[in-house]
Amino acid sequence: MPDISIAMLATQLFTGLVLGMIFVLLAVGLSLIFGLMTVVNFAHGSFYMLGAYFGFFLFGLTGNFWVSLGVAPLMVGTFGLLVERFLVRPLYGRSIDDPLLLTFGLSLVLVEGARLIWGKIGVTFDPPRELGQAVDLGFTRFPAYRLFVIGITAVVLLALWLFLDRTDVGLIIRAGSRDPLMVQALGIDLGRIRLLVFGIGTLLAGLAGVLAGPMRGVHAEMGVTVVIEAFVVVVVGGMGSLAGAVLAGLMIGEVVGLTTLVAPKLSEIMVFVVMAVVLLVRPSGLLGEAGLLE
Amino acid sequence: MHRRSFLATTAAGTAALGFPTIVRAQSKEPIKIGFPGPLTGPFAALANDQQRGAILAMEEVNAAGGVLGRKLEVLFRDDQLKPAVGAQRTKELIENERVDFIVGGLAANVQMAINEQTKRAKMLFISVSQSDEITARPDASPLTFHEALNPTITCRAVGRWALQNLGQRWWIVYADYAWGKQCNAVFTDVLQKHGGTLLGATPYPLGNAEFSPFLPKIQAAKPDVLVSATPGADNLAFLKQVISYGMKKEMRIVQPLHWIPVTKEGGPEVYADVYAGINFYWELADTIPVAKRYVEAYRKRFGTPAGDYGAYAYSGILEVVRGVTLAKSTASEAVAEALHAHPVYDHYKGKQWWRACDNKSFQDLWIVKGREPGKLHGEWGLLDVVTRIPADEHLDRTCVEKGFA
């Protein structure tokens, strides 16, 4: 057992936080989409991958990271709108397997498409120069870009929470997740709300992708494992629960980070160990409602 | 249209399209070499370079009149980097396409799967990427030849050089699969035998993109040398994260290999001052005449400088041709015997030879270092050649260690 200093532990907590933030962005989108329309979006990892590639593409065009960060998620969100309108929408009201199969197939198409367009070895783009260095936190030097990822994700989550909690549209989304039939009976057009939510969910995945690009590199398969971990986060948090997704995302990020410090070989498995333990204790997840998808 | 002129036009047409079917219009059946490789998937860039190397060899041989008066034909198949698919494609090449020999393979486990098939069919196989097992018992066979470097040779050569020139206290990060594990074992052995210190070794699952959880620990240990056995896209992610933590300035970074396509993608911001071994680099053309000929031919045909893995394939195909010419036969045993009888060859970078016991090719390798931003020599001039490590049988395990009495 190596001796572990407080400074190292603190560094590891920060590192885990960054991992957690990416999980959270992905899981919140998945959870929103699942909560409102019971669509298990298997293509979510591909939207993440698209975000990274769009970011890379815009970076090549403008040389400006901020353009990538601002525009790439919007492009992914717009693509998400099209996917909902033309592919997912015809499947509402059918078995939960149908949209699952559709999005699974879509993810295969997108991964192959990315290989065709951007090549097979992957691409890279850099964080902006002002965030390219490591900064001194007192106890350690930590990459400025990773601190920025923590900050921007917190801001986005806060904005999302305000939107869902304080606006009329947010109210409808929350009501729609509870009881879609009743919402429709009240004369609300749930079709447009579903479109909007799919757009927001995929936009968040795109944002996660463009944020992850400068850290992890960009390649066609980058969404494949991430989406599995994001699903685990959603399940641990409770299907359809946003607060649960945030909590579970941060928790799993920290667990992976800290496990790596003491037993690196176990860190991969820990994601699933956490899931197993949580599900044993709380079968519907940390903050999930009992009865959904059972 | 007369039959004859019809044949001539179709033949010309298919030739223009580059279809291998042109050979059917010739009187003699071609000599066929099957070439499985991962044309899709994460190693595709290396596999595509291999394919180009093999095509160049085939075209040169055919332009010079073929082999034993017959055309040479190379049939490429995608093994998707999966052992089961590699075995299936190889079986199809042998049974349906009736190929005479197999050359190819990338990734050790797929090579093993291909090798199982060629052993069963008693067919000559020249493997053209890294593997320790393929020339050791129980996988080795009298008809299995290994043209590429292997983890033992590469990591011993790079490890010894790094220990002498970069520093004594190391941390090793390696992908947790065959190649990574072998490299880690060899590096650790080098440190023990030559007085270095291993501060720690970190395995990670292949295909991982997030290294940040264990970087602080490495940084705190303050090694002189950080060894990175992280192939493909992992390599880019790893180095970027190491740089973002400010570690590149604090320690020297060395890896068993630079893979040219990945190095080009990462660019000098990532690869500047990162040391590695390499089996071939096109700027060797400046100092080695045979390399100059190869690099120029490759550039003329494909418009880019020759890569690292393509050179293995080029040499592998030419060795089959040399064996067939010497044996005056396409029988695998006869060709293998001819290569044993005349083990020395030189197709693209200097003298190489086959060791009798295990059919391993011994060859020079080089230590290279990434150039700094602004100091590249054109688009592909990414690396400075630091030194040559001459071919040496002592860099590999001995025949006895490999199971040959």
Side-chain angles (χ1 to χ4, degrees):
Chain A
M1 186 80 161
D3 51 338
I4 293 161
S5 65
I6 298 293
M8 200 185 279
L9 201 66
T11 312
Q12 213 66 17
L13 285 173
F14 264 85
T15 300
L17 197 56
V18 181
L19 298 185
M21 285 301 191
I22 300 288
F23 284 147
V24 168
L25 282 177
L26 282 164
V28 162
L30 268 180
S31 195
L32 266 177
I33 292 169
F34 179 79
L36 186 67
M37 37 204 146
T38 22
V39 168
V40 179
N41 182 17
F42 256 89
H44 213 64
S46 303
F47 286 101
Y48 165 81
M49 176 270 293
L50 277 185
Y53 270 114
F54 287 163
F56 162 78
F57 169 73
L58 292 165
F59 188 77
L61 223 54
T62 63
N64 186 336
F65 173 79
W66 305 107
V67 175
S68 297
L69 185 68
V71 180
L74 292 176
M75 289 167 71
V76 177
T78 310
F79 181 64
L81 294 179
L82 296 173
V83 168
E84 196 280 344
R85 176 65 190 82
F86 295 105
L87 296 176
V88 179
R89 187 171 294 186
L91 302 181
Y92 289 139
R94 295 169 61 160
S95 137
I96 191 170
D97 301 336
D98 291 12
L100 190 151
L101 284 174
L102 173 97
T103 53
F104 184 71
L106 180 65
S107 73
L108 297 180
V109 172
L110 291 177
V111 168
E112 286 302 326
R115 283 188 188 138
L116 278 177
I117 298 170
W118 288 290
K120 296 161 189 161
I121 47 167
V123 297
T124 64
F125 68 109
D126 292 318
R129 193 164 292 278
E130 52 272 32
L131 296 176
Q133 300 302 315
V135 291
D136 203 335
L137 294 181
F139 55 91
T140 184
R141 291 174 60 74
F142 199 76
Y145 182 73
R146 284 178 186 256
L147 292 177
F148 167 74
V149 169
I150 297 174
I152 188 119
T153 311
V155 169
V156 167
L157 289 176
L158 185 69
L160 184 70
W161 176 75
L162 286 175
F163 168 71
L164 290 174
D165 203 61
R166 300 290 158 88
T167 65
D168 293 345
V169 182
L171 184 67
I172 298 171
I173 293 175
R174 282 182 292 138
S177 321
R178 282 280 168 81
D179 192 343
L181 214 60
M182 190 65 205
V183 172
Q184 279 170 317
L186 290 172
I188 291 166
D189 179 4
L190 212 49
R192 284 167 61 187
I193 297 294
R194 283 173 170 153
L195 186 67
L196 177 71
V197 165
F198 205 89
I200 294 175
T202 50
L203 181 146
L204 291 175
L207 178 66
V210 71
L211 284 173
M215 295 190 287
R216 300 178 179 172
V218 183
H219 52 103
E221 299 83 11
M222 66 187 286
V224 177
T225 44
V226 159
V227 74
I228 296 170
E229 289 161 340
F231 271 122
V232 171
V233 170
V234 173
V235 171
V236 169
M239 299 291 278
S241 163
L242 286 187
V246 175
L247 188 66
L250 295 180
M251 190 172 102
I252 288 188
E254 292 298 357
V255 166
V256 170
L258 293 177
T259 314
T260 309
L261 195 57
V262 287
K265 278 204 165 189
L266 293 182
S267 64
E268 285 286 291
I269 310 167
M270 281 314 287
V271 176
F272 301 100
V273 172
V274 169
M275 178 167 77
V277 170
V278 168
L279 291 186
L280 278 175
V281 180
R282 288 185 63 89
S284 47
L286 290 174
L287 302 179
E289 304 162 47
L292 199 60
L293 198 74
E294 277 175 11
Chain B
M1 187 184 273
H2 291 289
R3 194 181 66 93
R4 193 172 292 268
S5 62
F6 171 77
L7 276 179
T9 4
T10 37
T14 45
L17 288 169
F19 272 62
T21 43
I22 178 178
V23 293
R24 303 228 169 88
Q26 295 181 339
S27 55
K28 282 184 191 168
E29 276 289 300
I31 292 173
K32 288 185 182 176
I33 299 177
F35 200 110
L39 297 169
T40 58
F43 290 169
L46 294 176
N48 292 337
D49 185 39
Q50 284 190 334
Q51 189 175 20
R52 289 195 289 270
I55 288 173
L56 181 63
M58 174 183 78
E59 290 177 352
E60 284 183 2
V61 167
N62 286 336
V67 198
L68 306 179
R70 293 162 67 183
K71 282 276 179 199
L72 181 68
E73 186 184 357
V74 183
L75 291 84
F76 298 96
R77 293 292 182 273
D78 184 9
D79 64 32
Q80 300 167 21
L81 204 61
K82 294 175 185 155
V85 179
Q88 185 59 33
R89 294 288 100 84
T90 307
K91 199 160 184 277
E92 287 163 11
L93 283 165
I94 294 170
E95 290 174 5
N96 304 347
E97 301 292 346
R98 307 242 157 233
V99 297
D100 300 285
F101 310 99
I102 298 283
V103 176
L106 220 167
N109 55 352
V110 186
Q111 287 178 53
M112 294 306 139
I114 296 169
N115 192 38
E116 284 306 308
Q117 298 301 319
T118 54
K119 275 161 78 174
R120 190 172 299 168
K122 296 192 169 38
M123 181 174 286
L124 182 99
F125 169 38
I126 300 190
S127 157
V128 290
S129 85
Q130 292 226 346
S131 165
D132 269 338
E133 295 91 344
I134 197 139
T135 53
R137 286 210 167 127
D139 290 291
S141 100
L143 298 179
T144 302
F145 288 69
H146 189 231
E147 165 69 25
L149 295 168
N150 64 27
T152 301
I153 295 175
T154 309
C155 296
R156 273 187 191 168
V158 172
R160 285 176 191 177
W161 181 85
L163 197 58
Q164 278 171 12
N165 295 281
L166 299 181
Q168 304 283 317
R169 301 163 71 247
W170 291 20
W171 194 295
I172 303 172
V173 174
Y174 64 96
D176 200 1
Y177 81 117
W179 181 79
K181 284 197 250 194
Q182 283 160 353
C183 282
N184 176 54
V186 173
F187 281 132
T188 308
D189 183 57
V190 167
L191 285 182
Q192 276 169 2
K193 285 198 177 125
H194 298 87
T197 310
L198 183 64
L199 298 176
T202 309
Y204 76 93
L206 183 64
N208 183 29
E210 195 49 73
F211 296 88
S212 60
F214 51 73
L215 294 183
K217 196 161 135 186
I218 299 174
Q219 195 167 22
K222 300 192 192 308
D224 304 325
V225 179
L226 175 59
V227 180
S228 141
T230 57
D234 297 0
N235 191 223
L236 276 176
F238 177 75
L239 291 175
K240 286 190 83 125
Q241 289 168 42
V242 163
I243 293 166
S244 80
Y245 275 78
M247 291 162 68
K248 200 174 181 181
K249 293 178 198 137
E250 300 167 358
M251 55 197 80
R252 308 287 195 103
I253 302 173
V254 64
Q255 17 193 74
L257 293 172
H258 275 327
W259 296 271
I260 303 257
V262 185
T263 312
K264 172 150 188 298
E265 185 48 50
E269 287 78 13
V270 174
Y271 283 96
D273 298 320
V274 177
Y275 293 87
I278 202 160
N279 65 302
F280 187 69
Y281 176 55
W282 63 277
E283 288 185 33
L284 292 170
D286 297 343
T287 50
I288 305 172
V290 63
K292 185 175 165 70
R293 192 203 63 74
Y294 170 64
V295 168
E296 280 174 2
Y298 190 102
R299 193 195 283 274
K300 197 172 158 209
R301 176 66 176 81
F302 301 109
T304 59
D308 36 7
Y309 272 59
Y312 285 144
Y314 177 79
S315 190
I317 296 282
L318 291 185
E319 269 308 272
V320 171
V321 170
R322 192 175 69 93
V324 169
T325 311
L326 285 167
K328 298 190 176 58
S329 159
T330 57
S332 284
E333 289 84 358
V335 174
E337 210 167 288
L339 293 179
H340 282 148
H342 305 271
V344 180
Y345 61 102
D346 178 2
H347 295 305
Y348 73 100
K349 64 175 178 182
K351 186 180 125 177
Q352 296 179 230
W353 69 90
W354 300 110
R355 182 158 72 178
C357 72
D358 58 353
N359 295 344
K360 173 87 205 76
S361 170
F362 287 87
Q363 58 196 288
D364 295 351
L365 71 152
W366 285 264
I367 302 290
V368 288
K369 180 175 90 157
R371 285 184 177 136
E372 288 168 20
K375 294 192 178 164
L376 302 195
H377 298 183
E379 191 189 2
W380 291 91
L382 306 155
L383 305 170
D384 275 325
V385 177
V386 178
T387 190
R388 179 176 78 102
I389 312 263
D392 181 355
E393 294 192 8
H394 293 106
L395 285 172
D396 199 8
R397 290 181 292 165
T398 63
C399 294
V400 174
E401 284 169 334
K402 284 181 156 190
F404 302 97

